[in-house]
Amino acid sequence: DIQLTQSPSFLSASVGDRVTITCRASQGISSYLAWYQQKPGKAPKLLIYAASTLQSGVPSRFSGSGSGTEFTLTISSLQPEDFATYYCQQLNSYPLFTFGPGTKVDIK
Amino acid sequence: QVQLVQSGAEVKKPGASVKVSCKASGYTFTSYGISWVRQAPGQGLEWMGWISAYNGNTNYAQKLQGRVTMTTDTSTSTAYMELRSLRSDDTAVYYCARATMSHAFDIWGQGTMVTVSS
């Protein structure tokens, strides 16, 4: 099975900061990677799919890049509503999926 | 609008079964798969399995094989997830999500809290 790791697991940042989260896969997954945002008590929300395609309605300050085994999610200027937990997910082994362990972004 | 609406919270005793429903609306149900994802309190997301709403094919996470069954009713555009032999560590919020390889899990249900307690 494909395993995903995320770094860091916790990140403390200020409004306006540029934030980067990394997701690494245990084997190549082409560009079949998605990123989700989850706030407490809410369902996850799709931000990016196919590694770099922004889901409709998601602000352009979010961007994704990478292919193969290393991927990044970048928030260009952190906003108050962006404090949440972020998960990556691989879809290369469809219909068997894996989520990363998550990165919590907290207020400094 | 496109949405998935799940059934309400459940409280079950250890050893019992639970069946959670997920009703789709606003899109052609049989054109997509449905995945189930759970989240234990304070923990991350755990993928449980997938079902094709087109032909009923399933794929389950290895750790749940033998305890979980996913089904669909195309006449009502509803997906179901049944988990048997419940244990305390099955206590979690259970989500359904519309699933495609190309567009990931783009629509999610609101979640169903399942509590397993004696």
Side-chain angles (χ1 to χ4, degrees):
Chain A
D1 289 6
I2 298 172
Q3 307 299 318
L4 298 177
T5 59
Q6 287 183 235
S7 60
S9 54
F10 180 84
L11 187 159
S12 185
S14 301
V15 172
D17 283 354
R18 181 181 181 88
V19 167
T20 298
I21 299 168
T22 299
C23 177
R24 290 185 174 86
S26 58
Q27 63 190 76
I29 57 171
S30 185
S31 296
Y32 291 107
L33 189 102
W35 290 96
Y36 300 85
Q37 176 194 66
Q38 188 181 31
K39 297 180 180 179
K42 298 294 187 182
K45 173 187 173 183
L46 177 65
L47 299 175
I48 287 168
Y49 61 92
S52 60
T53 304
L54 203 63
Q55 174 70 348
S56 177
V58 173
S60 59
R61 62 181 180 272
F62 291 94
S63 64
S65 65
S67 67
T69 61
E70 187 156 332
F71 302 84
T72 59
L73 171 70
T74 299
I75 309 171
S76 60
S77 178
L78 199 65
Q79 298 301 300
E81 60 269 29
D82 300 336
F83 292 96
T85 300
Y86 294 84
Y87 296 92
C88 58
Q89 178 201 33
Q90 70 82 19
L91 301 100
N92 184 71
S93 52
Y94 178 94
L96 192 156
F97 307 97
T98 314
F99 288 97
T103 295
K104 185 175 182 180
V105 178
D106 210 346
I107 302 172
K108 183 183 280 185
Chain B
Q1 74 278 26
V2 177
Q3 62 178 354
L4 298 172
V5 178
Q6 298 182 221
S7 50
E10 303 263 11
V11 179
K12 296 292 183 181
K13 294 195 182 302
S17 299
V18 69
K19 192 169 187 176
V20 179
S21 68
C22 169
K23 184 171 176 60
S25 61
Y27 71 95
T28 302
F29 182 65
T30 52
S31 294
Y32 294 83
I34 293 286
S35 258
W36 291 86
V37 177
R38 70 179 180 178
Q39 186 170 38
Q43 301 302 308
L45 303 173
E46 178 185 10
W47 177 76
M48 300 178 66
W50 167 92
I51 182 166
S52 165
Y54 173 71
N55 59 16
N57 286 350
T58 56
N59 196 336
Y60 301 136
Q62 190 168 8
K63 71 174 284 189
L64 295 174
Q65 290 270 5
R67 286 209 299 140
V68 67
T69 301
M70 296 175 187
T71 57
T72 59
D73 181 345
T74 56
S75 69
T76 60
S77 298
T78 303
Y80 299 91
M81 186 283 299
E82 181 180 32
L83 189 61
R84 300 176 293 278
S85 302
L86 290 168
R87 311 186 288 245
S88 59
D89 62 356
D90 292 318
T91 294
V93 177
Y94 288 75
Y95 295 101
C96 61
R98 189 173 79 168
T100 68
M101 185 179 187
S102 58
H103 287 72
F105 294 9
D106 61 344
I107 305 295
W108 291 68
Q110 81 278 21
T112 297
M113 181 71 212
V114 175
T115 302
V116 182
S117 174
S118 55

